[in-house]
Amino acid sequence: MAKQKRGQKSAASEARIENQGATLRDRIGNDALEKLREVSRTMRQEEEQRKAAERERKITEQKIKEKNKSFADLFEESNLDWKKFK
């Protein structure tokens, strides 16, 4: 009887090994795989659009900030040294 129990365990372990060897692509259908790829593409596109909008917002913000600088701000940013022109 002990030999029969061992034989049953080995058959179960062989089935488990077979299942582990199968990849996710093998387990799911092609239609589900295509849906996942499509979702991945749309998420990438949305991310790229979000980044582009963020870049545009920063550029616009910088232009507005540059436009609204006072004379004091511009003077502080200048690299002129008055001692050179004395």
Side-chain angles (χ1 to χ4, degrees):
M1 277 202 208
K3 290 183 180 181
Q4 289 177 352
K5 287 183 181 178
R6 287 182 190 168
Q8 290 175 353
K9 288 182 183 179
S10 65
S13 66
E14 287 177 16
R16 221 178 300 130
I17 291 171
E18 270 184 34
N19 286 339
Q20 288 175 352
T23 62
L24 182 61
R25 180 179 283 168
D26 297 336
R27 290 183 184 177
I28 62 175
N30 286 336
D31 57 338
L33 190 60
E34 275 303 312
K35 286 180 184 177
L36 288 173
R37 286 180 180 156
E38 184 63 32
V39 168
S40 175
R41 280 186 223 118
T42 57
M43 288 177 70
R44 269 192 233 119
Q45 288 174 349
E46 289 173 357
E47 181 69 18
E48 288 173 8
Q49 289 174 352
R50 187 188 62 77
K51 286 181 180 181
E54 182 68 20
R55 271 186 256 122
E56 289 294 323
R57 185 190 63 79
K58 285 183 180 181
I59 290 170
T60 306
E61 194 175 278
Q62 184 66 27
K63 285 181 181 179
I64 292 171
K65 190 176 180 182
E66 195 68 30
K67 183 179 177 182
N68 294 331
K69 283 188 179 180
S70 67
F71 180 75
D73 293 334
L74 293 171
F75 185 71
E76 285 182 17
E77 287 180 3
S78 70
N79 294 330
L80 297 176
D81 188 10
W82 62 270
K83 291 178 185 177
K84 291 181 181 177
F85 300 105
K86 245 182 169 180

